[in-house]
Structures are given as structure tokens and as C-alpha cells.
Amino acid sequence: MKCDRCEGTIEDGEERELNGQFLCEDCYMDALSPPRSCDPWAVHSAKKLAETGGGNLQISPIQSKILALLEETGGEEAQVIGERLHISPSQVQREIASLRHMEKIRADMREGKKIIKLW
């Protein structure tokens, strides 16, 4: 069976049904809990975690690549970030949301486009 959203292969019995669609587990989770980059509670939690952890938040390898790309380019659209790093749009959105909560990145409008840039 194929996922109705990402068209990935789903093993028998592993499919999830939501609103008449059959989804893989990742797409199902994305549908139930979409990433939100503007989440004051998540920002507060990240700040408190940094304070109790000696000021350091752990950055994943993908997040490090995103930060390096933004430092190199001065900012990019989310779609371009995904294309350059070969990651799915949903994964880009999740990583961007996490980095935003840590106040590592922010968005800016340039020529009518939403650009992700370093904080």
C-alpha cells in the first residue's frame, strides 16, 4: 500500500486512516501535530532548558547543516533549504520550528518571499 500524502510504501497493517486518507506513520503524525514555529510556550521551554543545561541546547546534524547554510547564504526560503540539503518539506518545517524555538533562526520578508535567516 502507498501513503496518500507522500506516496511512500506502507507495510500491511502499518497504515493509519485519517479523514479518508491512508497515511504512513510520519505523515499521520504531521497531520495530527503540524510544526508551529510561533509557539511562545516552546520558546520558553527551550530557554529554561538552556539555562538548566549550562546554556547549551543540543543541535542535530541536520540543524547544524541548516545553520551553516544560512550563515553561508545570509538566508534562504524553506523550499530552497530542503532542496539544497535533500530533506523533505515536512522535515524542513520541523527543523525550522525547532531552531526558531531555540531562537537560532527567524523569518524575514524579502521581495514578498519568506526568508529564513540567522537570529
Side-chain angles (χ1 to χ4, degrees):
M1 172 177 274
K2 289 203 177 269
C3 175
D4 290 336
R5 184 176 280 182
C6 72
E7 298 184 359
T9 303
I10 307 171
E11 293 185 31
D12 288 337
E14 295 296 316
E15 70 276 359
R16 308 282 191 265
E17 185 178 358
L18 182 67
N19 300 327
Q21 290 187 313
F22 290 100
L23 306 174
C24 64
E25 187 173 357
D26 289 339
C27 290
Y28 183 73
M29 293 302 293
D30 284 343
L32 290 179
S33 178
R36 292 184 201 106
S37 58
C38 185
D39 184 345
W41 184 249
V43 172
H44 171 76
S45 297
K47 283 182 179 181
K48 287 297 180 188
L49 190 63
E51 288 173 12
T52 60
N56 292 330
L57 292 172
Q58 289 191 343
I59 304 289
S60 74
I62 298 243
Q63 291 169 346
S64 291
K65 289 178 183 180
I66 291 171
L67 293 173
L69 175 65
L70 296 177
E71 186 173 358
E72 173 189 321
T73 63
E76 287 289 355
E77 291 181 89
Q79 177 184 349
V80 174
I81 293 170
E83 290 169 358
R84 297 242 344 238
L85 299 178
H86 307 289
I87 54 178
S88 70
S90 64
Q91 187 175 9
V92 170
Q93 291 305 317
R94 286 205 178 277
E95 301 299 344
I96 285 173
S98 294
L99 289 167
R100 170 62 187 92
H101 298 156
M102 291 184 263
E103 295 186 334
K104 300 287 185 188
I105 62 171
R106 61 186 172 144
D108 194 17
M109 293 299 286
R110 292 186 197 161
E111 299 174 8
K113 295 179 183 178
K114 184 178 175 182
I115 303 296
I116 309 301
K117 64 181 194 174
L118 295 176
W119 192 266

